[in-house]
Amino acid sequence: MIFFLRFIVTGIDKKEAVKRPVEVYHRVLFISSYDPLYFTYDAQVKGLERSLYPNGIEYDVAYMYSNGRGDTSGDEFFNFMKQRLSKVKKYEAILIGDDTALEFAIKYQEELFPKIPVIFFGINDYELALKASLNPMMSGFYENDYLEETMNLAKALFPDRKTFIGLHDQSVAGKVDISTFWTLRDKYKGYSFVDLDASLLSQSDLVFLLAELPKDSILFYMNCYSDKNQNVYSMLSRTGTVVRSATVPIFRNYVGGEGMGVLGGIHMDVEEQCVKVGEMVNEVLTKGSRPEISLVDYTKSRTSFDYSLMKDFNLDFSLLPKDTIFYNKPESFISQYGKIFPPIIMLFITLVVLMLYSKCGKMISMTYIAELKKSQKVLLDSQEQLSYQAEYDEILDVLNRRTITAWLRDTMTEKSVYSIIIIDIDDFKMLNENYGHSLADSILQYVVALLKGMVEEGGWKIARFGGDELLLVIPDEVLTMECQIVRQLFAAIRAPIPLGDETLAITASMGASCSDGITPPEQHVINAETAMYEAKKRGKNGIVIYDDEMKEKALEEIRIKEKLQQAFDNDGFFMLYQPQIDAQTKEVSGYEALVRMKEPGIYPGQFIPVAERSGWIWRIGRITTELVIKQLAAWRDQGKTLHPVSVNFSSNQLNDHGYVDFVEDLLKRYNIPPQFLEIEITEGLFLERSVLADDIFRRFKDLGIRLLMDDFGTGYSSLGYLTYIPVDVIKLDKSLVDTYLVDGKDSFIRNIIHLMHDLDKNMIIEGVEEEKQYLRLKEFGADTIQGYFFSKPIPAVEAIDFKVS
């Protein structure tokens, strides 16, 4: 008996090892962006071996040794690869791991491995993956970042923490991380987003900033392994620094850091993706053809949390998914000895049953069968409940986002005819605030109940796509703005909702995308969401259908983003300077610095909004500031007379916590007195009066840098705030000059100028284009004139010697 028990127990954990074939049939090369110490490498190798070895596929590995930073040129690695490939037997396929290696493969494919299938995986940059998949010899897998899912979980666990901090670096993956981080900001109304770029900080600076994070913040620890001194840290080392320094909850949407002080997060299952990669490689090699599978943009996720930290923060475990993996969970008696129990219990039950059977015969047998049936029913009910919770939104009793996405991917093809609509309830946040979450959920339930009749009748699918967003899939229909289905949807949503003795009227913004025989279903979902946001921009309470014009705008934005990235990497910006003229003496009194791209045909009105949306405006802010301070130093060294130069400061730069220190360091490095640098800030930013803004303004003033208010008069009706904001100069917007500096209305401009003087503030009048405007402003006692009447923005060499003719 004891021998029998030992045999059962020792066999429980015995996993079937990966079976290597006796004979190798194929040989492939794996080019990795990183080295074997990189945090995803082990999982990648395990996944590849699980699916390559059983199919007789052996692989070699070539490392780019970028350790998260990437080979900036790729030339050295190219020479290495060229020499290596000339000496070894030809590979039948190339595996590409992560973004840097894929960029290398795209650039050198024809020279190194022409007509050889290339399978890529772990790609953070979706546009890069999409570009590669258009190559007939390339296909592969995009790495889902699961940042939004992690944020939603963090928000649920810590509803009172309203500051999200994104920790990243300037690696390829880090840039994608922070871009995604900023694009999510609009989905979290009332939350502050802060960018913490480790590439701009020394190790000691990072430790200090992490220790000083706001108490109401949550830290999202993304790809972040380098510092400003070009040091590169391992995942273990950097994680140790982060968890030792930060006192706020740390979430991570990538594998790595589990059980080391990171609270938890949702991340892609790297090993599972690489198993799929190996299966794709086997299929390609078996068929002996190029990859025929389109880009795979979904890999299932894993949720992992630190059990002890969940306890320390007193968090609700029920908010976590049922399949959450826990680290640092104390071992119970069951977990320590539970492996022995099943065989013992089975053996004991068997003996008892045999004894009872021998004594009670048929009656006991029938009772046992009845109990088994009862247990089976309970088990089936439990399985159904778990299945429901995994696939449905329990509040609205409709499919959840993950289920509808999987259904679209598995059911619809590029040739299917269908339309996708995303419905977003307008001002839903206000409903939550005014009526409470419970009643707001009831309103959503009411809307869904109205829609379900149409859904069932038409054979549609309905799902909850977000907090107040619903997704409809309408088969066999290509919608138009005025079609019957759209009218029915609006009629249902706009119908008054009974609330006791009162009624409530709501509206919704809708975005739709219709099948075209080309676009995959997942992209139609993205297109519909883009169209919905466009409907919001157009005033809400309407529908926008994604069309070629929106597609062209999206492609144009992608093009501009590519050019911006090239400009960041290749000194692609320069400054023009518009002279500011003393109204009384006609002498130059200062300049406004205006940034331009060296890339022809791309203008500020195009690239500035893209930089704002992409979270890159802080980089432009730093570049322009450094260019201006360098120019001031150059003028000084040439013996020129210096005048103050103003640079623009965007509201998104508030999240660049190191900007003021950056400015101070530059002024000291180039020995420029602070009075020659001025910061232009829009009116709205002064009025927000956030603690963060007030602190930055105070630090500028402490340095001796003057603050200018730009765009004055474009959006605020009261002038009382001018008595307390820390601004030295007011810039009157061109729109007020055009509207009021005319006969019969110009007394308004005169009164504004006199008021500013009474408040001891100087005034710059922008947009002056005619002599009569200048003469009138001079008569009113204006301080400074800026506009095309005197000069357009001009290069530095012309600006420093500019004279009014």
Side-chain angles (χ1 to χ4, degrees):
M1 179 67 71
I2 293 175
F3 175 82
F4 177 67
L5 283 177
R6 275 187 69 186
F7 174 78
I8 294 177
V9 173
T10 54
I12 286 176
D13 276 341
K14 193 171 183 180
K15 296 180 180 178
E16 184 177 339
V18 175
K19 294 181 180 179
R20 297 195 181 215
V22 176
E23 184 176 353
V24 173
Y25 303 107
H26 305 285
R27 193 175 180 199
V28 300
L29 175 65
F30 170 25
I31 299 178
S32 172
S33 295
Y34 311 121
D35 60 31
L37 296 178
Y38 195 63
F39 69 94
T40 59
Y41 181 78
D42 287 344
Q44 289 176 342
V45 168
K46 286 179 183 177
L48 290 175
E49 292 182 355
R50 279 174 54 194
S51 51
L52 291 180
Y53 285 164
N55 290 299
I57 304 172
E58 189 174 60
Y59 70 94
D60 294 336
V61 187
Y63 307 104
M64 295 188 76
Y65 290 101
S66 59
N67 203 7
R69 286 162 22 87
D71 183 344
T72 55
S73 68
D75 294 337
E76 185 178 343
F77 187 71
F78 168 77
N79 294 329
F80 165 77
M81 285 301 303
K82 190 173 183 179
Q83 184 179 18
R84 174 172 178 170
L85 291 172
S86 67
K87 295 181 179 180
V88 299
K89 184 180 178 181
K90 183 180 179 181
Y91 294 107
E92 296 176 69
I94 305 295
L95 308 184
I96 297 295
D98 299 283
D99 300 66
T100 305
L102 182 56
E103 290 177 341
F104 176 85
I106 293 172
K107 183 176 181 180
Y108 295 111
Q109 178 194 14
E110 290 301 321
E111 296 175 75
L112 294 178
F113 26 84
K115 300 181 181 179
I116 300 177
V118 176
I119 310 299
F120 54 84
F121 57 94
I123 308 303
N124 299 96
D125 188 341
Y126 184 79
E127 293 165 12
L128 178 65
L130 198 59
K131 176 183 177 182
S133 67
L134 297 177
N135 185 316
M137 295 305 296
M138 291 187 176
S139 188
F141 296 74
Y142 169 68
E143 180 173 349
N144 308 90
D145 59 64
Y146 288 103
L147 180 57
E148 183 176 357
E149 289 83 352
T150 300
M151 280 187 175
N152 287 338
L153 200 48
K155 178 182 174 184
L157 289 168
F158 296 95
D160 296 326
R161 293 178 180 257
K162 300 295 184 180
T163 301
F164 285 175
I165 298 174
L167 177 61
H168 69 104
D169 62 11
Q170 285 300 309
S171 65
V172 175
K175 290 175 182 177
V176 173
D177 281 340
I178 199 60
S179 178
T180 304
F181 179 79
W182 281 112
T183 59
L184 292 172
R185 180 175 58 172
D186 291 339
K187 295 190 176 183
Y188 297 89
K189 304 298 183 185
Y191 282 74
S192 297
F193 276 54
V194 177
D195 177 345
L196 196 57
D197 188 346
S199 298
L200 304 175
L201 304 168
S202 66
Q203 178 79 336
S204 58
D205 289 337
L206 178 62
V207 169
F208 174 80
L209 289 175
L210 288 173
E212 295 298 316
L213 293 180
K215 299 302 181 185
D216 73 330
S217 64
I218 295 172
L219 180 64
F220 294 92
Y221 166 33
M222 302 179 288
N223 281 286
C224 170
Y225 307 104
S226 61
D227 66 15
K228 74 173 185 179
N229 299 318
Q230 309 305 313
N231 296 314
V232 179
Y233 302 87
S234 68
M235 189 278 295
L236 182 65
S237 173
R238 181 44 58 92
T239 301
T241 299
V242 172
V243 300
R244 284 194 303 269
S245 307
T247 58
V248 302
I250 303 169
F251 284 79
R252 183 167 168 81
N253 60 313
Y254 290 108
V255 65
E258 297 91 345
M260 298 168 58
V262 173
L263 174 58
I266 302 173
H267 59 81
M268 189 190 78
D269 191 331
V270 176
E271 185 175 338
E272 177 65 21
Q273 182 174 93
C274 289
V275 170
K276 300 297 182 184
V277 170
E279 292 171 355
M280 182 185 286
V281 171
N282 181 57
E283 181 177 344
V284 169
L285 296 181
T286 301
K287 292 182 178 179
S289 61
R290 62 184 179 84
E292 296 179 351
I293 305 172
S294 60
L295 174 66
V296 179
D297 60 1
Y298 172 78
T299 302
K300 70 178 184 179
S301 65
R302 297 176 63 193
T303 303
S304 59
F305 273 77
D306 190 304
Y307 184 93
S308 62
L309 288 178
M310 287 285 292
K311 286 287 189 180
D312 290 345
F313 282 110
N314 194 28
L315 301 177
D316 185 355
F317 281 82
S318 69
L319 295 174
L320 301 181
K322 301 295 184 185
D323 59 351
T324 298
I325 299 168
F326 288 105
Y327 293 86
N328 293 330
K329 185 175 182 179
E331 281 195 327
S332 63
F333 180 84
I334 295 297
S335 63
Q336 286 181 304
Y337 301 104
K339 294 177 182 178
I340 302 175
F341 288 166
I344 292 178
I345 292 172
M346 290 177 63
L347 183 60
F348 178 78
I349 291 175
T350 301
L351 292 173
V352 170
V353 169
L354 287 173
M355 292 172 62
L356 292 175
Y357 184 79
S358 64
K359 292 182 178 181
C360 302
K362 185 176 180 180
M363 181 177 67
I364 297 299
S365 177
M366 292 177 64
T367 303
Y368 181 66
I369 292 172
E371 287 296 322
L372 283 177
K373 287 182 178 180
K374 182 179 178 181
S375 298
Q376 183 182 33
K377 184 178 184 305
V378 171
L379 181 60
L380 289 173
D381 289 345
S382 176
Q383 288 176 335
E384 288 178 5
Q385 178 66 18
L386 289 173
S387 177
Y388 176 85
Q389 291 174 344
E391 296 178 1
Y392 283 80
D393 181 89
E394 293 186 77
I395 294 175
L396 300 184
D397 191 29
V398 296
L399 297 174
N400 60 30
R401 179 172 182 161
R402 186 166 296 176
T403 305
I404 194 66
T405 303
W407 182 86
L408 277 167
R409 186 176 58 253
D410 298 338
T411 307
M412 296 299 185
T413 68
E414 293 176 0
K415 302 303 179 184
S416 302
V417 178
Y418 60 94
S419 294
I420 291 175
I421 296 180
I422 290 183
I423 303 171
D424 183 271
I425 306 300
D426 293 330
D427 303 315
F428 192 75
K429 180 184 176 185
M430 186 177 67
L431 292 178
N432 270 314
E433 292 173 351
N434 292 343
Y435 295 99
H437 291 284
S438 178
L439 189 55
D441 285 341
S442 298
I443 292 169
L444 268 178
Q445 291 168 341
Y446 186 86
V447 171
V448 168
L450 292 175
L451 295 178
K452 273 189 174 180
M454 301 168 62
V455 169
E456 293 170 0
E457 182 180 348
W460 306 351
K461 289 285 185 181
I462 184 170
R464 188 174 191 172
F465 193 68
D468 61 323
E469 294 177 3
L470 302 172
L471 184 146
L472 295 175
V473 182
I474 304 177
D476 305 319
E477 294 283 353
V478 176
L479 303 181
T480 63
M481 301 279 282
E482 300 296 331
C483 69
Q484 180 67 18
I485 288 176
V486 169
R487 289 199 297 270
Q488 287 177 331
L489 287 172
F490 275 120
I493 292 170
R494 292 167 180 166
I497 299 174
L499 295 178
D501 296 332
E502 303 177 359
T503 59
L504 173 70
I506 63 172
T507 61
S509 299
M510 302 187 195
S513 184
C514 307
S515 59
D516 53 11
I518 301 173
T519 307
E522 297 92 333
Q523 187 60 44
H524 279 302
V525 174
I526 296 171
N527 294 348
E529 191 169 22
T530 300
M532 183 271 290
Y533 284 120
E534 183 64 26
K536 292 278 189 188
K537 292 178 186 176
R538 295 182 186 180
K540 305 179 182 179
N541 192 23
I543 185 171
V544 170
I545 296 178
Y546 192 86
D547 56 18
D548 289 340
E549 182 179 348
M550 294 182 69
K551 183 177 181 179
E552 288 172 6
K553 284 173 63 177
L555 292 174
E556 175 67 6
E557 179 151 332
I558 290 172
R559 183 182 76 88
I560 292 173
K561 286 173 71 174
E562 289 177 351
K563 296 298 182 184
L564 272 172
Q565 194 61 63
Q566 292 171 12
F568 289 137
D569 296 337
N570 299 292
D571 187 27
F573 298 94
F574 68 98
M575 305 303 293
L576 295 179
Y577 297 85
Q578 188 168 29
Q580 296 166 340
I581 308 301
D582 186 295
Q584 306 304 319
T585 67
K586 286 193 175 182
E587 297 292 329
V588 173
S589 60
Y591 305 93
E592 179 181 359
L594 299 160
V595 66
R596 300 290 186 266
M597 284 181 66
K598 295 178 182 178
E599 178 74 26
I602 299 182
Y603 304 102
Q606 296 171 289
F607 73 80
I608 293 295
V610 173
E612 292 275 8
R613 288 192 292 271
S614 302
W616 294 339
I617 197 64
W618 68 270
R619 298 184 69 182
I620 292 179
R622 291 200 174 208
I623 289 169
T624 56
T625 304
E626 185 164 6
L627 287 173
V628 166
I629 293 175
K630 282 183 177 180
Q631 187 60 62
L632 283 165
W635 283 336
R636 178 201 59 210
D637 295 343
Q638 295 165 15
K640 305 292 185 180
T641 301
L642 296 186
H643 299 289
V645 180
S646 63
V647 295
N648 289 284
F649 184 88
S650 164
S651 60
N652 283 333
Q653 287 178 257
L654 285 176
N655 298 302
D656 183 4
H657 293 276
Y659 178 72
V660 180
D661 292 333
F662 173 77
V663 172
E664 184 177 13
D665 289 344
L666 285 174
L667 292 172
K668 289 178 180 177
R669 188 191 315 167
Y670 291 98
N671 194 25
I672 297 296
Q675 64 264 28
F676 290 114
L677 181 69
E678 299 176 333
I679 304 294
E680 284 196 26
I681 302 170
T682 58
E683 181 183 25
L685 194 51
F686 281 108
L687 299 180
E688 288 178 4
R689 302 216 67 193
S690 68
V691 173
L692 186 57
D694 287 346
D695 181 62
I696 289 178
F697 298 157
R698 177 190 56 77
R699 294 184 65 195
F700 278 134
K701 299 288 285 184
D702 290 345
L703 284 177
I705 294 174
R706 293 206 310 170
L707 301 183
L708 282 61
M709 177 189 286
D710 197 13
D711 300 334
F712 174 75
T714 58
Y716 201 64
S717 58
S718 172
L719 300 177
Y721 69 91
L722 292 174
T723 61
Y724 59 78
I725 60 173
V727 65
D728 303 287
V729 180
I730 304 294
K731 297 188 74 175
L732 189 69
D733 190 73
K734 182 182 185 299
S735 61
L736 271 71
V737 173
D738 293 340
T739 302
Y740 292 102
L741 198 58
V742 296
D743 291 342
K745 293 184 178 180
D746 56 6
S747 59
F748 175 80
I749 301 292
R750 180 190 61 205
N751 292 338
I752 289 289
I753 293 172
H754 291 171
L755 174 62
M756 295 307 156
H757 289 167
D758 291 341
L759 294 172
D760 198 27
K761 300 184 188 297
N762 291 332
M763 194 158 202
I764 297 174
I765 313 296
E766 292 188 289
V768 177
E769 298 180 349
E770 301 174 9
E771 183 178 19
K772 64 179 182 180
Q773 291 178 322
Y774 159 64
L775 293 174
R776 199 69 170 143
L777 290 167
K778 179 181 179 182
E779 178 186 338
F780 291 162
D783 301 298
T784 307
I785 305 296
Q786 180 180 337
Y788 274 53
F789 173 66
F790 287 117
S791 176
K792 65 181 181 180
I794 53 180
V797 67
E798 299 175 29
I800 193 60
D801 294 323
F802 180 80
K803 304 287 185 185
V804 176
S805 56

